[in-house]
Amino acid sequence: ERDGRSFAGDHGRGDAPDQLDTPTDVVVDQRTNRLIICDAGNRRIVTCSLDGEDDEYAVLVRDVSCEGLTVDEQGYLYFSDSQKHE
């Protein structure tokens, strides 16, 4: 929650840009000040801003069975895909 507002899920479970379905992991990209979420039920990785200036949600990766993720110091995103065993 940010300033009394939710980042996602205000409208329940779903596949709209601001909805999640079975999120499995979340990280903060400190370089861009963005939240990155494994949205396993929708088979995607999504991002949204933490600074309040940009409430746009963006899909970073589609068609992935994401179970976990991390961002390194250089801003590279790493994630697992349980269906592809990668």
Side-chain angles (χ1 to χ4, degrees), residues 3-22:
D3 300 327
R5 295 181 296 160
S6 296
F7 286 106
D10 286 343
H11 306 289
R13 180 181 288 188
D15 63 359
D18 63 346
Q19 290 179 301
L20 301 172
D21 182 0
T22 318

